[in-house]
Amino acid sequence: MAVRETGQGAEPGTYGGAVHAGGCTCGDCPHGAREGHRRAVAAFLRRRDEFAAGQGLPAAVAHSPSATRQWVSDELTQSAQLVAERSRAEGRAWLARLWRRTAVTVWALVVLLLLVQSLTAIGAGWTAARTAGLLAALVVAAALSAASFLHRARGGALAPVIGEDNRLSTSRAVAAAWVLFLAYSVLVLAGRLAAASHHDERDALLAGLGLARGAGTVAVLAVVCAIAVLVRRVVGLRVLSQRLQKIRADRPRAADLLTDDAGRGSFADLQYVVINAVALVLGAVRLARRPDQLPDLPWGLAVVVLVSAATYLAGKYSEGGRPVILSVVRAREAGDLDAPIRTGEDIEIRGAGFVPPAARGADQLSRMAVRIGAVHVHVPLVPVPGGFSNPTDTRLVVPVPVDVEPGRVTVQVVTAAGVETHPYVIEVTE
């Protein structure tokens, strides 16, 4: 696919004045990064399927199954590293473009608000509350646009809700939504207060800011903000204690708000987002109906939000787990005789949690290793059509190096996230 970029004052096929040929694969322009990643993925998949079918093997290693497996694994690892590099370049280019999209989205919402206010003003007339709401939206949009520009390298206005693993944080996104909503509500009241000419109206507006009027909303805001801070602390401690495996994503995605690191739907995240979205909609309706006070949430709905927050926090405490070795046996081919584990032979490690949730790419799988005694053995990639048969989340096959001393030795699996299993003792004979 030929990719051409037309910039201001530049000829077609250029970007920023630099010439980019058709099908550009460099990483300094967005389309080039995307195309480079696409081509690297296509090349890797083609090479993996060729090896899985037994094609493309050099004659020098074809006579030895172990040498063939190691050579294939090394070739796929190098190709996977190129894919990972291209993917990171595409992620950086995507983030660099995102700030403009967030700014455009914010101003589109302001235009939508203006249209809604204009339509609802037909017959009822334009009021000071509508003017205050529009001015408050303009102030919030200007602030978000400025933040988008200042953090344009980190995703614009979304930078505060992107976690350390480069994914959108559900807890931060929910807290940020409530903060923006309350800030907008206070600005509406401030606008009305500035335009009020009678002291009775000013007193009523000031009373609308009282805690008794917005106790439910304030309680929900306090809880979701506390959850955002607490979840970050919980996740950080679990990662440091090796009870949770985290792999950095190439770029954030909207689906991160509703899924776990592996991209599977998460009940805890889903119910937290849905219930808070419903509460925000009700709060917006209350503000539209009563723009002279803070939007109060009924205590029944506030309690529902609190229960949802507790469920979300419990889900964060329970997710993940440390990888564990359940057993180690000698890998036996068809026709082999039963025998003890010897140096130079393959062993099969059975357990759970060997592959972190987000480590499905070949570049992450190639980082896995097994410590046998004092020797580190990298887990070979064994391709099959459509994927890999080794390693998997519950099974690893590695050779026992000849450098391992016979006797009782320990085996530990080191995952792509750097987490180690507890030692497992095996007996190695000569």
Side-chain angles (χ1 to χ4, degrees), residues 311-406:
T311 303
Y312 175 75
L313 183 60
K316 289 299 178 182
Y317 266 107
S318 62
E319 72 178 3
R322 187 166 185 170
V324 59
I325 297 177
L326 300 178
S327 62
V328 178
V329 299
R330 174 177 174 268
R332 177 179 176 274
E333 298 288 343
D336 284 353
L337 299 177
D338 294 330
I341 297 176
R342 296 187 176 92
T343 56
E345 296 182 337
D346 292 341
I347 57 173
E348 179 181 324
I349 304 173
R350 302 170 183 173
F354 295 150
V355 179
R360 302 299 178 184
D363 63 305
Q364 298 291 347
L365 296 178
S366 65
R367 296 172 57 189
M368 298 182 62
V370 177
R371 182 187 294 113
I372 305 177
V375 182
H376 289 80
V377 182
H378 286 278
V379 180
L381 299 177
V382 180
V384 294
F388 297 94
S389 63
N390 187 64
T392 66
D393 191 56
T394 59
R395 175 180 175 273
L396 305 176
V397 175
V398 294
V400 179
V402 294
D403 295 331
V404 174
E405 296 292 336

Side-chain angles (χ1 to χ4, degrees), residues 217-238:
T217 305
V218 173
V220 169
L221 176 66
V223 170
V224 296
C225 289
I227 289 293
V229 175
L230 186 57
V231 164
R232 180 180 181 183
R233 179 65 174 171
V234 167
V235 172
L237 289 178
R238 288 176 62 82

Side-chain angles (χ1 to χ4, degrees), residues 243-266:
R243 289 180 293 172
L244 180 64
Q245 301 189 69
K246 274 285 186 180
I247 297 293
R248 182 178 174 84
D250 293 327
R251 68 176 179 88
R253 293 173 171 82
D256 295 338
L257 299 177
L258 306 176
T259 62
D260 58 14
D261 290 354
R264 299 184 297 262
S266 170

Side-chain angles (χ1 to χ4, degrees), residues 42-278:
F44 172 80
L45 294 179
R46 182 171 59 252
R47 196 165 182 80
R48 183 199 64 188
D49 292 342
E50 288 177 355
F51 289 152
Q55 302 173 0
L57 300 177
V61 299
H63 66 283
S64 173
S66 60
T68 299
R69 182 178 61 185
Q70 187 61 50
W71 184 87
V72 168
S73 179
D74 292 342
E75 290 293 313
L76 290 177
T77 297
Q78 293 179 7
S79 181
Q81 290 174 352
L82 177 60
V83 172
E85 179 183 347
R86 296 296 190 186
S87 180
R88 288 190 293 268
E90 182 188 10
R92 290 191 296 268
W94 185 86
L95 280 178
R97 301 192 307 268
L98 184 61
W99 77 272
R100 292 187 178 89
R101 297 180 182 178
T102 56
V104 169
T105 301
V106 167
W107 287 104
L109 292 176
V110 173
V111 173
L112 178 62
L113 176 63
L114 176 60
L115 292 176
V116 171
Q117 287 187 338
S118 301
L119 292 175
T120 55
I122 298 176
W126 193 269
T127 62
R130 299 179 192 277
T131 302
L134 184 59
L135 290 177
L138 291 174
V139 172
V140 172
L144 290 177
S145 298
S148 296
F149 180 76
L150 293 175
H151 297 277
R152 56 188 178 277
R154 282 286 299 158
L158 295 181
V161 300
I162 297 178
E164 287 74 12
D165 57 353
N166 208 29
R167 295 181 178 86
L168 288 180
S169 169
T170 303
S171 59
R172 296 186 196 179
V174 170
W178 278 105
V179 168
L180 287 176
F181 175 65
L182 265 296
Y184 173 78
S185 303
V186 173
L187 286 175
V188 170
L189 292 176
R192 293 210 58 197
L193 185 62
S197 57
H198 197 274
H199 65 87
D200 290 338
E201 184 180 1
R202 290 195 294 269
D203 292 341
L205 290 171
L206 290 175
L209 288 170
L211 183 60
R213 300 289 182 90
T217 305
V218 173
V220 169
L221 176 66
V223 170
V224 296
C225 289
I227 289 293
V229 175
L230 186 57
V231 164
R232 180 180 181 183
R233 179 65 174 171
V234 167
V235 172
L237 289 178
R238 288 176 62 82
V239 169
L240 292 177
S241 62
Q242 298 191 5
R243 289 180 293 172
L244 180 64
Q245 301 189 69
K246 274 285 186 180
I247 297 293
R248 182 178 174 84
D250 293 327
R251 68 176 179 88
R253 293 173 171 82
D256 295 338
L257 299 177
L258 306 176
T259 62
D260 58 14
D261 290 354
R264 299 184 297 262
S266 170
F267 170 76
D269 294 54
L270 178 62
Q271 59 86 29
Y272 191 54
V273 170
V274 169
I275 290 179
N276 278 278
V278 171

